[in-house]
Amino acid sequence: MTATDNNRLAAEWDCQRLLLAFYQAIDEARFKDVASFFAPDGEWHRAGAVVRGPAAVEKIYEGRSTDTRARHIITNLVTTAKGDDVASFSLCITFYTAPGGEGVPTVPGPTMVLSSHGDLVRLDGTWRIRRKQTVREFMVAA
């Protein structure tokens, strides 16, 4: 394996860790941390709107309950280095949610299944989300 291969693999691994940490921050209601994963010019296309920049990402979580249990199960995660400081990604999300409280909640199944893809950029040695599009693939019937 060449040094170039090692650099590519290291970048792709770092990008995967970034994306997993992003969803973990959402699940743990660390919303300020969620915003920090975006580049200053980062865009999140979600729920029919475009959210631009970390401050706008943080704003969408204002007032959100921190006691709701949420879990994003991430699968089919593929990151591809496109250069030293640019990468793309795609992934699948199975999303579960339940009211907070004591004990382990019982849920009938996932709330929805989503897909996400986009671009990442390395700024000052740290990977950030430059563009992220999230699409609802399936909703659970009521």
Side-chain angles (χ1 to χ4, degrees), residues 31-44:
F31 303 133
K32 192 173 286 284
D33 290 347
V34 172
S36 75
F37 289 102
F38 282 83
D41 63 345
E43 292 183 350
W44 188 1

PDB file of all heavy atoms in Angstrom, residues 31-44:
ATOM      1  N   PHE A  31     -26.956  19.816  20.975  1.00  0.00           N
ATOM      2  CA  PHE A  31     -27.276  20.539  19.754  1.00  0.00           C
ATOM      3  C   PHE A  31     -26.224  21.570  19.359  1.00  0.00           C
ATOM      4  O   PHE A  31     -26.024  21.830  18.176  1.00  0.00           O
ATOM      5  CB  PHE A  31     -28.672  21.157  19.864  1.00  0.00           C
ATOM      6  CG  PHE A  31     -29.733  20.129  20.143  1.00  0.00           C
ATOM      7  CD1 PHE A  31     -30.681  20.341  21.125  1.00  0.00           C
ATOM      8  CD2 PHE A  31     -29.767  18.933  19.438  1.00  0.00           C
ATOM      9  CE1 PHE A  31     -31.662  19.395  21.378  1.00  0.00           C
ATOM     10  CE2 PHE A  31     -30.735  17.972  19.686  1.00  0.00           C
ATOM     11  CZ  PHE A  31     -31.694  18.207  20.662  1.00  0.00           C
ATOM     12  N   LYS A  32     -25.543  22.169  20.320  1.00  0.00           N
ATOM     13  CA  LYS A  32     -24.451  23.089  19.983  1.00  0.00           C
ATOM     14  C   LYS A  32     -23.338  22.314  19.273  1.00  0.00           C
ATOM     15  O   LYS A  32     -22.733  22.794  18.313  1.00  0.00           O
ATOM     16  CB  LYS A  32     -23.925  23.770  21.238  1.00  0.00           C
ATOM     17  CG  LYS A  32     -22.990  24.935  20.948  1.00  0.00           C
ATOM     18  CD  LYS A  32     -22.616  25.685  22.207  1.00  0.00           C
ATOM     19  CE  LYS A  32     -23.705  26.529  22.758  1.00  0.00           C
ATOM     20  NZ  LYS A  32     -24.001  27.772  22.103  1.00  0.00           N
ATOM     21  N   ASP A  33     -23.079  21.077  19.734  1.00  0.00           N
ATOM     22  CA  ASP A  33     -22.079  20.235  19.078  1.00  0.00           C
ATOM     23  C   ASP A  33     -22.514  19.879  17.659  1.00  0.00           C
ATOM     24  O   ASP A  33     -21.683  19.825  16.750  1.00  0.00           O
ATOM     25  CB  ASP A  33     -21.840  18.949  19.871  1.00  0.00           C
ATOM     26  CG  ASP A  33     -21.125  19.192  21.189  1.00  0.00           C
ATOM     27  OD1 ASP A  33     -20.601  20.305  21.394  1.00  0.00           O
ATOM     28  OD2 ASP A  33     -21.106  18.265  22.015  1.00  0.00           O
ATOM     29  N   VAL A  34     -23.809  19.621  17.467  1.00  0.00           N
ATOM     30  CA  VAL A  34     -24.320  19.288  16.132  1.00  0.00           C
ATOM     31  C   VAL A  34     -23.942  20.394  15.152  1.00  0.00           C
ATOM     32  O   VAL A  34     -23.431  20.133  14.063  1.00  0.00           O
ATOM     33  CB  VAL A  34     -25.855  19.083  16.153  1.00  0.00           C
ATOM     34  CG1 VAL A  34     -26.408  18.929  14.746  1.00  0.00           C
ATOM     35  CG2 VAL A  34     -26.221  17.875  17.008  1.00  0.00           C
ATOM     36  N   ALA A  35     -24.159  21.632  15.547  1.00  0.00           N
ATOM     37  CA  ALA A  35     -23.850  22.768  14.675  1.00  0.00           C
ATOM     38  C   ALA A  35     -22.363  22.849  14.367  1.00  0.00           C
ATOM     39  O   ALA A  35     -21.972  23.235  13.262  1.00  0.00           O
ATOM     40  CB  ALA A  35     -24.330  24.064  15.331  1.00  0.00           C
ATOM     41  N   SER A  36     -21.518  22.456  15.305  1.00  0.00           N
ATOM     42  CA  SER A  36     -20.063  22.582  15.117  1.00  0.00           C
ATOM     43  C   SER A  36     -19.513  21.639  14.061  1.00  0.00           C
ATOM     44  O   SER A  36     -18.380  21.809  13.618  1.00  0.00           O
ATOM     45  CB  SER A  36     -19.339  22.345  16.449  1.00  0.00           C
ATOM     46  OG  SER A  36     -19.330  20.970  16.782  1.00  0.00           O
ATOM     47  N   PHE A  37     -20.297  20.668  13.634  1.00  0.00           N
ATOM     48  CA  PHE A  37     -19.836  19.739  12.603  1.00  0.00           C
ATOM     49  C   PHE A  37     -19.921  20.343  11.197  1.00  0.00           C
ATOM     50  O   PHE A  37     -19.438  19.754  10.237  1.00  0.00           O
ATOM     51  CB  PHE A  37     -20.626  18.430  12.651  1.00  0.00           C
ATOM     52  CG  PHE A  37     -20.293  17.581  13.842  1.00  0.00           C
ATOM     53  CD1 PHE A  37     -21.125  17.536  14.937  1.00  0.00           C
ATOM     54  CD2 PHE A  37     -19.123  16.836  13.863  1.00  0.00           C
ATOM     55  CE1 PHE A  37     -20.815  16.760  16.039  1.00  0.00           C
ATOM     56  CE2 PHE A  37     -18.799  16.046  14.963  1.00  0.00           C
ATOM     57  CZ  PHE A  37     -19.649  16.018  16.060  1.00  0.00           C
ATOM     58  N   PHE A  38     -20.524  21.518  11.068  1.00  0.00           N
ATOM     59  CA  PHE A  38     -20.692  22.152   9.761  1.00  0.00           C
ATOM     60  C   PHE A  38     -19.599  23.165   9.491  1.00  0.00           C
ATOM     61  O   PHE A  38     -19.155  23.878  10.389  1.00  0.00           O
ATOM     62  CB  PHE A  38     -22.067  22.837   9.666  1.00  0.00           C
ATOM     63  CG  PHE A  38     -23.175  21.869   9.411  1.00  0.00           C
ATOM     64  CD1 PHE A  38     -23.754  21.176  10.460  1.00  0.00           C
ATOM     65  CD2 PHE A  38     -23.614  21.623   8.123  1.00  0.00           C
ATOM     66  CE1 PHE A  38     -24.756  20.259  10.234  1.00  0.00           C
ATOM     67  CE2 PHE A  38     -24.619  20.708   7.881  1.00  0.00           C
ATOM     68  CZ  PHE A  38     -25.193  20.019   8.939  1.00  0.00           C
ATOM     69  N   ALA A  39     -19.190  23.242   8.232  1.00  0.00           N
ATOM     70  CA  ALA A  39     -18.276  24.289   7.779  1.00  0.00           C
ATOM     71  C   ALA A  39     -19.001  25.628   7.888  1.00  0.00           C
ATOM     72  O   ALA A  39     -20.238  25.667   7.892  1.00  0.00           O
ATOM     73  CB  ALA A  39     -17.865  24.020   6.327  1.00  0.00           C
ATOM     74  N   PRO A  40     -18.258  26.731   7.957  1.00  0.00           N
ATOM     75  CA  PRO A  40     -18.905  28.051   8.026  1.00  0.00           C
ATOM     76  C   PRO A  40     -19.912  28.277   6.896  1.00  0.00           C
ATOM     77  O   PRO A  40     -20.935  28.928   7.103  1.00  0.00           O
ATOM     78  CB  PRO A  40     -17.740  29.033   7.936  1.00  0.00           C
ATOM     79  CG  PRO A  40     -16.577  28.277   8.484  1.00  0.00           C
ATOM     80  CD  PRO A  40     -16.791  26.842   8.047  1.00  0.00           C
ATOM     81  N   ASP A  41     -19.653  27.725   5.711  1.00  0.00           N
ATOM     82  CA  ASP A  41     -20.571  27.865   4.582  1.00  0.00           C
ATOM     83  C   ASP A  41     -21.386  26.588   4.357  1.00  0.00           C
ATOM     84  O   ASP A  41     -21.976  26.397   3.303  1.00  0.00           O
ATOM     85  CB  ASP A  41     -19.806  28.225   3.311  1.00  0.00           C
ATOM     86  CG  ASP A  41     -18.819  27.143   2.885  1.00  0.00           C
ATOM     87  OD1 ASP A  41     -18.510  26.237   3.705  1.00  0.00           O
ATOM     88  OD2 ASP A  41     -18.346  27.194   1.730  1.00  0.00           O
ATOM     89  N   GLY A  42     -21.433  25.728   5.374  1.00  0.00           N
ATOM     90  CA  GLY A  42     -22.117  24.442   5.238  1.00  0.00           C
ATOM     91  C   GLY A  42     -23.614  24.578   5.032  1.00  0.00           C
ATOM     92  O   GLY A  42     -24.245  25.501   5.562  1.00  0.00           O
ATOM     93  N   GLU A  43     -24.169  23.642   4.251  1.00  0.00           N
ATOM     94  CA  GLU A  43     -25.609  23.625   3.969  1.00  0.00           C
ATOM     95  C   GLU A  43     -26.173  22.270   4.356  1.00  0.00           C
ATOM     96  O   GLU A  43     -25.573  21.236   4.074  1.00  0.00           O
ATOM     97  CB  GLU A  43     -25.881  23.803   2.473  1.00  0.00           C
ATOM     98  CG  GLU A  43     -25.537  25.129   1.919  1.00  0.00           C
ATOM     99  CD  GLU A  43     -25.904  25.228   0.443  1.00  0.00           C
ATOM    100  OE1 GLU A  43     -26.258  24.204  -0.183  1.00  0.00           O
ATOM    101  OE2 GLU A  43     -25.839  26.341  -0.087  1.00  0.00           O
ATOM    102  N   TRP A  44     -27.366  22.307   4.963  1.00  0.00           N
ATOM    103  CA  TRP A  44     -28.090  21.075   5.283  1.00  0.00           C
ATOM    104  C   TRP A  44     -29.455  21.183   4.625  1.00  0.00           C
ATOM    105  O   TRP A  44     -30.279  22.004   5.022  1.00  0.00           O
ATOM    106  CB  TRP A  44     -28.215  20.919   6.780  1.00  0.00           C
ATOM    107  CG  TRP A  44     -28.773  19.608   7.252  1.00  0.00           C
ATOM    108  CD1 TRP A  44     -29.158  18.533   6.502  1.00  0.00           C
ATOM    109  CD2 TRP A  44     -29.003  19.245   8.609  1.00  0.00           C
ATOM    110  NE1 TRP A  44     -29.595  17.524   7.300  1.00  0.00           N
ATOM    111  CE2 TRP A  44     -29.516  17.931   8.605  1.00  0.00           C
ATOM    112  CE3 TRP A  44     -28.824  19.887   9.819  1.00  0.00           C
ATOM    113  CZ2 TRP A  44     -29.859  17.256   9.778  1.00  0.00           C
ATOM    114  CZ3 TRP A  44     -29.160  19.219  10.981  1.00  0.00           C
ATOM    115  CH2 TRP A  44     -29.667  17.921  10.957  1.00  0.00           C
TER     116      TRP A  44
END
